[in-house]
Structure formats: structure tokens, C-alpha cells
Amino acid sequence: MTAPVFCALDTDDIQTALRVAENVRPYVAGLKIGMEFFYGAGPEGYRAVADQGLPIFLDLKLHDIPNTVAGAMRSLTPLQPGYVTVHASGGSAMMAAALDAAGDAAARLGVARPKLLAVTVLTSLGPDDLTAIGQHAEATEQAERLARLAHDAGLDGIVCSPWEIETIRAAVGPGPEIVVPGIRPAGAPAGDQVRIRTPIEAMTAGATRLVIGRPITAAADPGDAARSIAASLSTLIAEGNA
Ligand code: C5P
């Protein structure tokens, strides 16, 4: 049974990534590649992982002027990622430019347009950090504001922390994807994640996809860890709610 989970491959080593990808392939919906792997292993490493046949969530959190982000999307679209992230705080024009460029590049190549997900407020920023960068709204309020901005710009979904799911779902309605990291199976070590939820809690709250890294990748048997996460969601999956 496949769970609506992207397994985060947080490594710069192609062989490690491939080993995990091969083990978890039957149980997850996709693989998340971030800056560490993409900057280290490059497009060649990306292709080696993508050749495993699962959708790729390319989490590069693009944030620059619209023209530059549009160019980045034109460069990334030939890799055919399923999802790419941009920072909502880059603004409406930047998000719209990313979407347009991805659409144009995909049409030209005859491939599916990567879905664009907006990152709202980084969960590493506490209240003092937000004040220090001149952002006086409370984190959830700011995340909601940015989620609305991303939705209005036509983006396909939002990345948010497990405890913002209900607020963001209420703000953007039933359509958009809500992709959620900070997930820990019951009893798993939290590591550096603080405000965690279990897979079933996050899906029940309104998430459409979960990002799970270390509970799978650091397990003695990553395939077995992914299988047991899928099993924990089996009732929701069977009911068509996951
Ligand atoms: O190992 P763990 O399950 O904590 O991995 C979560 C993944 O989600 C990591 O790749 C991390 O960078 C990413 N992420 C996160 N919190 C965010 C955004 C992304 O943990 N707010």
C-alpha cells in the first residue's frame, strides 16, 4: 500500500539516496530532494534518483526577483519534477512568474507542468526571530496571509507546519495541496522537530501529502519504516481520504 508520503532524501550522497529510494519505493508516493542533494549531486544525481520512477518533490525554496525565478523554473522543468517550492514571501509577481514560466516550458517540451508549492513562514523562526526581521505578525497569522497570497497567485499548494493545517485549509479551501513536514510516527524520536504530529493526525487535519525524512531514512530498515507508516494510514487510504 502506497502512503501519501514524500520521503526526504537529506543526503549529498547519490548511493545513499538510491539505496533508500529503492527500499521505500513500494510504500511512498514520492521522494523529496532538497538543496543538500541537488547542489551536491547536481542534475545528474537528480536523474539517477528520478530514474527510480517515483515523482520528485524538488524542494529548492526559490526566492528572487520574478525574472530570475522564472528562469530557474525554465531550467528545472526539463527535469520533470512533480513539485517545486518557492517562498511565498517573494510576492505575488514572483509566484505568478514562476507559474507562467513552468507552464510555458512544460508546454514547449510536451511534459506535465511541475506543481508549485508555496513555503510560508519557516518553522525554524521563533517570535524573536520574526520581530528581528521586522515581521510583527504572529507566525500563524503571517503563514495564513502568505497562503492566501499564494493561492490567489494560482499556486497549486502550500507547505506548512502540522499545527497550521486547519488554519491554512480554512483560508485556501478544499482544492489546494497542503504538504506537511514535521511528522513523526507515534513513539518516534522528534529529533530537532518541535511541534510534531503523527501521520494520521496530519492527514485528518487536512494535509494532502506528508514529508517524512529521518523516521524512514535513519531507521535500520527504511523500507520497513515506510511500510509501517503506510499501514498506519491504511484506514484513511481505504476510505479514499488519504
Ligand atoms: O527528518 P525529518 O522528517 O525531520 O525531515 C523533514 C524534511 O522536511 C526535511 O527535508 C526538512 O528540511 C523539511 N522541512 C521541515 N520543516 C519545514 C520545511 C521543510 O522539516 N518547515
Side-chain angles (χ1 to χ4, degrees):
M1 182 171 291
T2 303
V5 166
F6 285 105
C7 177
L9 301 176
D10 290 321
T11 171
D12 62 358
D13 182 62
I14 297 181
Q15 292 316 320
T16 305
L18 288 178
R19 186 170 39 78
V20 173
E22 207 170 301
N23 285 331
V24 304
R25 189 167 48 188
Y27 311 112
V28 300
L31 303 166
K32 185 174 88 84
I33 286 178
M35 296 182 197
E36 181 180 5
F37 186 81
F38 196 71
Y39 293 151
E44 185 195 335
Y46 174 100
R47 286 192 197 93
V49 173
D51 282 349
Q52 298 275 321
L54 286 175
I56 303 292
F57 172 4
L58 188 51
D59 186 19
L60 297 182
K61 297 187 173 66
L62 305 177
H63 189 175
D64 209 313
I65 60 171
N67 187 56
T68 301
V69 171
M73 285 311 304
R74 280 192 294 276
S75 293
L76 294 173
T77 299
L79 294 172
Q80 300 186 52
Y83 296 80
V84 177
T85 46
V86 302
H87 270 286
S89 52
S92 295
M94 188 205 80
M95 289 189 274
L99 200 56
D100 276 359
D104 289 350
R108 203 175 53 247
L109 296 164
V111 301
R113 174 178 68 73
K115 288 191 177 180
L116 284 187
L117 301 176
V119 175
T120 55
V121 179
L122 292 175
T123 46
S124 53
L125 298 174
D128 293 346
D129 302 304
L130 292 172
T131 306
I133 59 169
Q135 190 185 284
H136 299 289
E138 191 258 324
T140 303
E141 184 190 333
Q142 180 68 2
E144 181 184 348
R145 179 199 307 266
L146 291 171
R148 286 184 196 276
L149 197 68
H151 184 48
D152 291 346
L155 263 65
D156 301 288
I158 308 294
V159 181
C160 71
S161 93
W163 293 96
E164 289 165 355
I165 299 169
E166 287 92 341
T167 303
I168 293 200
R169 180 56 78 206
V172 301
E177 297 252 12
I178 296 186
V179 180
V180 181
I183 301 296
R184 290 292 177 269
D192 54 3
Q193 298 280 14
V194 181
R195 305 184 68 228
I196 54 179
R197 270 174 140 175
T198 64
I200 193 125
E201 285 168 347
M203 294 303 297
T204 307
T208 54
R209 310 254 171 192
L210 309 176
V211 172
I212 306 182
R214 287 160 292 177
I216 297 175
T217 57
D221 181 342
D224 194 50
R227 188 196 49 72
S228 100
I229 289 168
S232 78
L233 291 169
S234 59
T235 312
L236 282 184
I237 296 169
E239 289 169 356
N241 293 323

